[in-house]
Amino acid sequence: MSAVTLQVQLGARTYEIVIGDGLLNDISNIIQGSVDAQIVVVSNILVYPLYGVPLEAALRKAGMRVFSIVLPDGEVNKDWPTLDKIFDSLLENACDRKTMLIALGGGVIGDMVGFAAAIYQRGIPFIQIPTTLLAQVDSSVGGKTAINHRLGKNMVGAFYQPRRVVIDIATLASLPEREYRSGLAEIIKYGVALDADFYNWIEQNIDLLLQREPAALMYAIRRSCEIKASVVGDDEYETKGGRALLNFGHTFGHAIESALGYGVWLHGEAVASGMVMATNFSCAMGRIDLKTTERIIDVIKRTGLPLRPPDIPADVMLMHMSRDKKNENGDIHLILLDAIGASSLDGTVKRDAIHNYLANLPNINQ
Ligand code: NAD
Ligand code: GLY
């Protein structure tokens, strides 16, 4: 299977997303043009032994200067103390502003390393090498970087684009099933919120995706990255409305993650249940019909991802939703559906209506 190269068009900061099977075997050639200084691979205790050790060896063999920083694993460690470990190590090794960070891991590593790159010595370059499905289809592209705050998910961060994204689908072979399915949620999101043709394709190919069939996987990753690249190219800083649509299901989903405690539900699990809530809410508001609603919920159901949120009181959900970054002037802004593939940002929904919906969620069989 040959590699595919896409571009995120951002003027002088335009960068490539390279997608292929086995790309890490050729990593020094792929990144050669982007690196002329010290490389620092930042990974975690789980991913580093699998892909970091051979990556470091390959870069060294190609004559590059490289060392690694190995962080603890998990969403619960996407925080200041862990971020600070990156700065400790960069400073102990006298890393200057030409240092290139490589984020090797899932979305937690990607978001955290991106943020470290954004603020270390006021900004150094970084490359994303995502190793989870979720990171390959979403978080590694587009330059949203962040850590969590105890009062809210991804609340401290920066927009900061990588120099390149290298997606090797071979790394998915070691990904646990639960994590893999979590990534499917973000793929479904693109179809439901933005692209009806892609949604139809997902509906027809969901079983192949569940089997990790390479051609289906390659297409789903490529199409997701194409959609994301196009949205980010048009609305990098989420000021024009387009990029916010990538947050379909996330207002509810982030509230679930924050309310439960980070890492209890996976991001994709919270997003799946959040998409069901946003879909049902769109239906309750008369924006989409019942047949469309059932079609969307059925695809999510086939992935085995949660359809119902965990037991969180409506008041608590609403409090967390009130801290969402899309909100303005105290109003909660939701992404709602007008059809499959057509979503919009709505800031006019009254809190009472959201509370009432959360307190009386429709009964859905898992
Ligand atoms: P994650 O980074 O925690 O990775 C999931 C688990 O899989 C971890 O235990 C990780 O160590 C392990 N892992 C990673 N690659 C592996 C591999 N190839 N084989 C075996 N195990 C592997 O979680 P995630 O789902 O990748 O990312 C979730 C994070 O991404 C959340 O913090 C979310 O907020 C963020 N996110 C960011 C954006 C963005 O635009 N920046 C978009 C979506 C999600
Ligand atoms: N994951 C949403 C965004 O990048 O905007």
Side-chain angles (χ1 to χ4, degrees):
M1 199 181 297
S2 54
V4 169
T5 301
L6 310 173
Q7 286 204 327
V8 184
Q9 297 282 358
L10 291 167
R13 289 171 296 110
T14 292
Y15 59 92
E16 288 182 344
I17 307 168
V18 193
I19 312 169
D21 193 348
L23 292 184
L24 285 185
N25 299 328
D26 193 29
I27 192 65
S28 48
N29 282 328
I30 294 171
I31 67 167
Q32 206 154 36
S34 324
V35 184
D36 60 358
Q38 174 75 59
I39 297 174
V40 182
V41 177
V42 188
S43 191
N44 70 31
I45 45 163
L46 215 149
V47 176
Y48 180 72
L50 293 172
Y51 305 109
V53 172
L55 171 70
E56 209 183 311
L59 297 179
R60 204 162 279 137
K61 196 169 165 210
M64 299 178 184
R65 276 190 295 135
V66 56
F67 74 89
S68 293
I69 300 173
V70 182
L71 299 174
D73 184 31
E75 186 76 39
V76 76
N77 290 304
K78 190 178 162 183
D79 59 5
W80 270 118
T82 311
L83 186 73
D84 214 24
K85 287 186 203 303
I86 302 177
F87 301 135
D88 287 348
S89 189
L90 294 179
L91 289 167
E92 279 159 15
N93 286 281
C95 290
D96 62 23
R97 296 173 81 176
K98 283 196 147 185
T99 304
M100 171 71 78
L101 299 187
I102 294 184
L104 178 73
V108 167
I109 283 289
D111 280 13
M112 207 156 37
V113 174
F115 188 36
I119 61 177
Y120 181 72
Q121 298 193 358
R122 303 198 179 91
I124 59 173
F126 82 112
I127 290 173
Q128 289 271 18
I129 304 186
T131 61
T132 63
L133 182 59
L134 187 141
Q136 295 185 349
V137 298
D138 193 351
S139 62
S140 64
V141 176
K144 276 192 181 174
T145 75
I147 54 169
N148 299 326
H149 186 278
R150 74 191 155 76
L151 294 180
K153 174 119 180 96
N154 292 335
M155 280 294 154
V156 181
F159 285 98
Y160 193 69
Q161 300 294 341
R163 292 292 168 93
R164 189 175 288 261
V165 180
V166 182
I167 298 176
D168 184 351
I169 69 169
T171 60
L172 299 179
S174 54
L175 195 65
E177 188 63 17
R178 188 178 165 205
E179 299 291 352
Y180 180 80
R181 288 178 188 231
S182 172
L184 291 176
E186 300 283 16
I187 294 176
I188 292 170
K189 168 194 81 177
Y190 289 114
V192 176
L194 290 158
D195 185 337
D197 288 343
F198 187 40
Y199 179 82
N200 293 338
W201 181 90
I202 295 167
E203 209 171 37
Q204 283 155 23
N205 290 277
I206 191 71
D207 292 332
L208 290 178
L209 287 177
L210 283 163
Q211 291 156 24
R212 310 191 191 195
E213 196 278 321
L217 196 49
M218 187 72 185
Y219 178 75
I221 294 171
R222 176 196 179 143
R223 186 68 200 126
S224 300
C225 287
E226 281 171 352
I227 296 170
K228 180 129 191 199
S230 158
V231 170
V232 170
D234 287 342
D235 184 15
E236 181 180 9
Y237 299 111
E238 207 169 305
T239 48
K240 301 180 190 163
R243 186 162 187 173
L245 304 182
L246 294 175
N247 256 270
F248 175 66
H250 286 58
T251 316
F252 295 103
H254 283 162
I256 292 173
E257 291 182 86
S258 299
L260 285 185
Y262 301 123
V264 177
W265 273 32
L266 302 183
H267 180 67
E269 293 171 341
V271 167
S273 154
M275 288 194 291
V276 173
M277 284 195 265
T279 301
N280 271 324
F281 194 63
S282 303
C283 183
M285 292 186 72
R287 297 172 74 132
I288 54 169
D289 59 24
L290 200 57
K291 196 163 160 251
T292 306
T293 305
E294 284 170 357
R295 240 185 106 190
I296 296 168
I297 294 176
D298 184 57
V299 163
I300 301 172
K301 186 174 188 168
R302 285 162 68 192
T303 64
L305 285 160
L307 303 179
R308 280 188 70 80
D311 207 7
I312 300 169
D315 288 346
V316 176
M317 277 293 286
L318 201 63
M319 178 192 72
H320 286 288
M321 290 171 74
S322 303
R323 295 192 184 125
D324 191 88
K325 293 188 288 305
K326 292 183 295 301
N327 296 345
E328 282 177 23
N329 302 322
D331 294 324
I332 295 176
H333 287 218
L334 291 175
I335 317 294
L336 296 174
L337 292 176
D338 300 307
I340 289 177
S343 52
S344 52
L345 184 63
D346 191 331
T348 66
V349 185
K350 296 274 173 282
R351 270 163 193 274
D352 286 355
I354 302 174
H355 187 276
N356 188 39
Y357 170 71
L358 290 168
N360 301 285
L361 286 174
N363 224 347
I364 306 165
N365 291 327
Q366 183 66 48

